[in-house]
Every structure is written in C-alpha cells, then in structure tokens.
Amino acid sequence: FHPDYRWLEQGPTPREILERAREIGHAEGLDHVYVGNLPGGEGEKTFCPSCREVVVDRRGYRVLEIKTKDGRCATCGGEIAGMGLP
C-alpha cells in the first residue's frame, strides 16, 4: 500500500513486508514478482527464470536496459513470459 489522494493517514506498507511477500511469491513458484514503490531494489527487475540474469532493468518508471532477443534471455536463451513469444 502507498498512501495517496484521500487515504493519507495510513502509512505505506513497510519495506520488510513487501520484500517478504516477494520471497513468498518466488517460493511458491512465481517467476516474476515485483515490489512497487521501492525504487532501486531487486524487486523492480525482471530476472530470467532459467539463469537468473537480469533481463529487464528498471528504476522507478524507467526501463534502463532490456536484455532479450525474440522473447528470450540474451544470456541463456530461456523463454521470458510476456516478451513477445506466442
């Protein structure tokens, strides 16, 4: 949660809880789990599920680098869901 507009009295969700939720998602088998409103953290990046290399590097709302080719990881060739494969 991030306070905005009409609900400003509630503080944001603590970093520790967001990072733990991401860990739980990964432990349950989700490949792409993102943490919002924490710019600069690992939770902004997209990792290849095969080799764990960063394939999309982000900071805030900016994409800094994309390391894919034809919907696959540029390092190992693993499929990256949502990156153009049918």
Side-chain angles (χ1 to χ4, degrees):
F1 173 77
H2 184 272
D4 205 359
Y5 188 50
R6 291 187 177 181
W7 196 4
L8 300 174
E9 65 276 359
Q10 177 69 37
T13 303
R15 173 183 292 272
E16 298 79 23
I17 291 175
L18 295 172
E19 290 172 347
R20 178 69 182 127
R22 183 170 177 262
E23 290 172 10
I24 290 169
H26 283 150
E28 291 297 319
L30 299 174
D31 289 326
H32 307 294
V33 183
Y34 302 97
V35 177
N37 297 319
L38 296 179
E42 291 290 305
E44 290 187 309
K45 303 173 188 301
T46 298
F47 294 89
C48 173
S50 299
C51 71
R52 301 306 302 160
E53 286 292 317
V54 175
V55 292
V56 181
D57 192 9
R58 298 177 189 83
R59 178 142 181 114
Y61 293 107
R62 293 182 49 215
V63 174
L64 305 175
E65 187 173 19
I66 299 175
K67 300 180 200 174
T68 62
K69 181 172 168 103
D70 299 324
R72 299 192 172 276
C73 173
T75 301
C76 75
E79 181 180 339
I80 308 299
M83 294 298 293
L85 288 177

